Amino acid sequence: MWLRGNMLSYKTLLIIGLLILFAIPLLGSSYLDFLFSMALIYSIWALGYNFLLGYTGLLSFGHGAYFGLGAYTVAMLVTKYSFRPFLPVLGIAVLVATFFGAIIGFLCARHVAKYFALLTLAFSQLFYALTFKLYHWTGGSDGIVVKSLDFFGVEVSAIKNPIGYYYLTLIFFLVSVCSGWRIVNSPFGKALQAIRDNPLKAEAIGIPVKRYKWYAFIISAAYSGLAGALFAPLLGYAYPDLFHFSFSGEVLFATLLGGHRVFFGPVIGAIIFTIAKSYIIATVKYWPLVLGSMLVITALFFPHGIIGTIYVVLKRRGSKTP
Amino acid sequence: MIEMTRFILDGFFYASILFLISSGLTLIFSVAGIINLAHGALYMLGAYIAAVLIKSLINTPYAILAFPIAALIIGLIGIIIERGFIKWIYEREFVYQLLLTFGLALVLSDITRITFGTEPIYVTKLYIHAGIIDILGSPYPVYNFIVMAVTFLIGGLMWFIMYKTRAGKIIRACALDREMSEAIGINTSRVFTLTFFMGSALAGISGALVVPQSAAMLGIDADALIESFIVIVIGGVGSIKGAFIGSLLIGLIRAFGIALFPEIELAIVYLVMAAVLLIRPRGLFGKEYRVA
């Protein structure tokens, strides 16, 4: 029932969720700290991704590119150029991802639906290929190890201080959620939804469709870059597979798992996805096979995602009993 | 001058392979409206099947049969994919169509990895066996000419089927307007299945033809998929003529790029694509497409 607009219980759920997120380090398991840091990073990524998929109706297969750009920028700055202050490094990484997002988005946003998906996929594979071609700079298939960063004199290391890194991620996650909420509910966000629902009508009422699609692309690239920038120090490693299109598939699946028509859908999807992935990888070797099968099953049977399906079921039940 | 000839011939060779892959992709798109992201995986699977067959038949004249058999098997897999999965989502939003074929691509390429292992399979014996011919004073492998000839044959056959037979007329009618074709009594779902068979078989044969010249290895699925995307984006999505011109363009650029600027060869290909997109967003031979 809480999904049907009862604001009080909606808020209660939010507060419970927030308390759980704050309480996770109290469990005292550094593996859980790591896992949930990862889950929050995926959530930031999925939130950004959903600006395009859920709110503008554009399907991208290339958001691994901006995630990877964020991660690689951090890795290069820290390890190759020994530039270690945390916030500036993060800022530069987001800027780099945003910059490339702006260029590629400019080319892609002129296209609709399937063509858009193709182009995003092609451009992300360009980065994938470049990491191998420019191996003396990017480390090729070895990737780059990320050394520890420096946060106002305190060493930032996910291995030495997992709780600290978890809370750092949590802060960025909360900032992303709040800013994302603001964007989605701003006039600009509503315009994006109008474009999603009917691009022709949106154009007719004076919304600059192409330009707004481009802006949405840039915003989502920035979020992806932030997620990637937080990811590199957590794993201590940036590797070319981040640019591969099967990695972009992960954010797509996480978003659809939670439901792309609900604001918190991608967040919940990403958390479930991360936990499920870590258990599946621990038990079977065939991760792409499992991911692929899950995508097929979602496409065929759960078009609304987890939250979306619950919502649809509740709605149906609600309409039956007046 | 001698080098020039070589580059151009290499370009034609790349173009032949690219044309076979991308015409399959574009054929399926123009008729069924589905962009089959599993196309690259089918290509890779075709390469592996051909490699294993050639390896086991290498000392017999039957080795040549590996190519049609690989094409046939991949074509049948195409039918299974269409009948088993894609059939259910023609009417759905494109997001789910892409999601489905994307999932199938991951599954197929992982199945290939599990079945054939991570080591590349080389069958260069056939390539060497075909010999070398003198072209304007420089030696050039005969095998590449065979591939070009086969591509011409297949391309000609496709043109014949599409424009000179009743089946081709029916396929073109379906591509133009599915509802109308159904209304005049065409069994469109059978046409779609046939199209998936043809498109997938094209992916299979191109994978098989590449094997003797290079190898069957993991990762060629994504490369093939992306390159054929670039080709059809340049040529215009859904246009076989566009696929032909796009393949020639990309094939020649690649041949000269690899020889002259190996570091940025790939970037040139993307720059050409970006330029075409900026000047002519629907591609060189693409039809004006509807919004959404």
Side-chain angles (χ1 to χ4, degrees):
Chain A
M1 296 306 109
W2 48 273
L3 276 163
R4 289 167 64 207
N6 189 336
M7 279 315 285
L8 195 73
S9 43
Y10 195 69
K11 264 184 190 154
T12 325
L13 267 177
L14 268 184
I15 290 167
I16 293 171
L18 208 59
L19 283 176
I20 292 175
L21 285 182
F22 268 103
I24 275 162
L26 298 177
L27 295 172
S29 149
S30 50
Y31 174 67
L32 275 184
D33 296 337
F34 172 82
L35 191 63
F36 273 84
S37 305
M38 193 63 93
L40 291 181
I41 288 168
Y42 265 75
S43 299
I44 298 173
W45 191 21
L47 265 179
Y49 184 77
N50 206 34
F51 285 126
L52 281 184
L53 182 65
Y55 287 95
T56 322
L58 292 171
L59 175 65
S60 159
F61 279 112
H63 265 55
Y66 314 106
F67 190 96
L69 278 169
Y72 263 92
T73 311
V74 170
M76 293 225 191
L77 284 176
V78 174
T79 307
K80 296 232 156 174
Y81 303 105
S82 301
F83 182 70
R84 295 172 56 237
F86 187 73
L87 289 178
V89 166
L90 219 60
I92 294 171
V94 172
L95 278 181
V96 169
T98 315
F99 174 72
F100 281 99
I103 295 176
I104 295 168
F106 181 75
L107 289 168
C108 296
R110 302 154 63 89
H111 291 262
V112 290
K114 292 166 183 169
Y115 310 87
F116 178 85
L118 288 191
L119 288 176
T120 53
L121 207 170
F123 279 113
S124 85
Q125 287 295 117
L126 169 67
F127 287 104
Y128 181 68
L130 281 180
T131 47
F132 289 99
K133 290 235 159 172
L134 308 172
Y135 58 90
H136 45 264
W137 200 44
T138 59
S141 57
D142 295 339
I144 307 178
V145 172
V146 183
K147 292 182 183 146
S148 61
L149 285 94
D150 172 272
F151 188 71
F152 299 114
V154 184
E155 192 186 11
V156 177
S157 161
I159 299 161
K160 286 182 196 152
N161 186 1
I163 296 180
Y165 200 78
Y166 174 77
Y167 279 121
L168 208 58
T169 321
L170 186 58
I171 292 168
F172 280 103
F173 168 74
L174 292 176
V175 170
S176 308
V177 168
C178 294
S179 56
W181 183 257
R182 288 289 294 271
I183 293 172
V184 164
N185 288 297
S186 68
F188 170 70
K190 296 292 171 199
L192 290 185
Q193 291 161 53
I195 294 173
R196 173 195 71 198
D197 292 336
N198 193 329
L200 281 178
K201 269 186 195 163
E203 185 101 61
I205 59 169
I207 295 171
V209 171
K210 274 181 195 162
R211 188 143 50 90
Y212 273 27
K213 277 186 188 168
W214 184 39
Y215 291 166
F217 197 102
I218 295 173
I219 294 170
S220 82
Y223 274 73
S224 308
L226 174 66
L230 289 167
F231 174 86
L234 176 67
L235 207 65
Y237 184 44
Y239 52 97
D241 276 0
L242 296 178
F243 293 111
H244 195 263
F245 74 99
S246 65
F247 189 65
S248 303
E250 293 190 1
V251 72
L252 167 64
F253 180 62
T255 307
L256 287 170
L257 189 69
H260 61 295
R261 289 292 167 88
V262 191
F263 181 77
F264 281 104
V267 174
I268 293 168
I271 292 173
I272 296 172
F273 175 82
T274 317
I275 296 168
K277 184 184 170 184
S278 81
Y279 282 99
I280 291 167
I281 286 186
T283 44
V284 290
K285 283 186 288 183
Y286 313 124
W287 169 243
L289 185 68
V290 174
L291 176 67
S293 319
M294 289 197 296
L295 283 169
V296 170
I297 291 168
T298 312
L300 287 175
F301 304 112
F302 298 103
H304 305 284
I306 290 177
I307 293 201
T309 309
I310 295 174
Y311 183 72
V312 168
V313 169
L314 284 177
K315 217 176 177 181
R316 224 177 267 159
R317 210 169 274 167
S319 61
K320 266 182 205 157
T321 50
Chain B
M1 189 57 216
I2 289 166
E3 278 199 323
M4 204 68 162
T5 338
R6 203 188 155 81
F7 295 161
I8 291 172
L9 285 174
D10 275 348
F12 284 156
F13 173 70
Y14 294 139
S16 306
I17 300 289
L18 275 177
F19 173 70
L20 288 177
I21 313 173
S22 52
S23 61
L25 192 66
T26 214
L27 178 72
I28 291 175
F29 177 77
S30 67
V31 177
I34 300 277
I35 288 181
N36 185 12
L37 295 173
H39 203 71
L42 290 173
Y43 162 85
M44 181 168 76
L45 197 55
Y48 269 98
I49 291 173
V52 169
L53 283 175
I54 294 172
K55 229 182 173 149
S56 54
L57 298 171
I58 190 74
N59 291 320
T60 64
Y62 302 117
I64 204 86
L65 285 178
F67 300 99
I69 292 175
L72 195 68
I73 293 175
I74 300 300
L76 292 177
I77 293 175
I79 291 184
I80 294 170
I81 288 177
E82 200 270 343
R83 285 287 90 183
F85 301 99
I86 291 171
K87 189 175 96 179
W88 309 102
I89 49 142
Y90 282 124
E91 306 297 324
R92 292 266 279 286
E93 269 179 78
F94 77 94
V95 173
Y96 300 106
Q97 299 174 349
L98 286 173
L99 189 67
L100 180 71
T101 57
F102 183 71
L104 289 172
L106 292 181
V107 170
L108 276 175
S109 63
D110 215 31
I111 286 177
T112 312
R113 183 175 66 90
I114 294 162
T115 325
F116 298 99
T118 48
E119 288 294 311
I121 306 178
Y122 295 94
V123 281
T124 36
K125 204 172 168 188
L126 205 66
Y127 186 67
I128 296 162
H129 196 71
I132 279 169
I133 194 173
D134 231 36
I135 298 290
L136 296 176
S138 80
Y140 199 74
V142 174
Y143 183 81
N144 290 10
F145 283 113
I146 298 176
V147 170
M148 291 177 218
V150 169
T151 305
F152 257 94
L153 268 176
I154 293 175
L157 189 69
M158 266 173 70
W159 176 84
F160 184 80
I161 291 176
M162 292 302 270
Y163 290 96
K164 294 287 159 191
T165 65
R166 197 178 141 74
K169 246 182 202 166
I170 291 174
I171 292 175
R172 281 187 293 140
C174 278
L176 219 56
D177 191 333
R178 186 181 179 181
E179 267 178 36
M180 197 52 154
S181 319
E182 211 148 85
I184 58 169
I186 294 171
N187 185 347
T188 53
S189 77
R190 199 188 290 165
V191 173
F192 283 14
T193 313
L194 178 71
T195 312
F196 264 87
F197 173 77
M198 281 167 60
S200 306
L202 282 169
I205 191 83
S206 49
L209 285 172
V210 165
V211 165
Q213 194 256 353
S214 63
M217 53 189 161
L218 295 173
I220 56 172
D221 54 342
D223 295 345
L225 187 68
I226 302 301
E227 283 185 0
S228 52
F229 275 171
I230 296 176
V231 163
I232 66 173
V233 163
I234 288 177
V237 186
S239 154
I240 305 262
K241 189 165 56 162
F244 182 72
I245 301 293
S247 316
L248 265 183
L249 197 64
I250 296 299
L252 288 172
I253 291 172
R254 271 197 60 188
F256 280 89
I258 288 174
L260 303 177
F261 341 86
E263 290 265 290
I264 53 164
E265 164 251 328
L266 198 81
I268 301 175
V269 171
Y270 276 86
L271 281 178
V272 171
M273 179 175 82
V276 171
L277 283 175
L278 284 174
I279 300 160
R280 206 176 150 82
R282 63 192 139 117
L284 297 176
F285 295 96
K287 294 179 210 96
E288 194 74 63
Y289 51 68
R290 284 151 279 168
V291 178

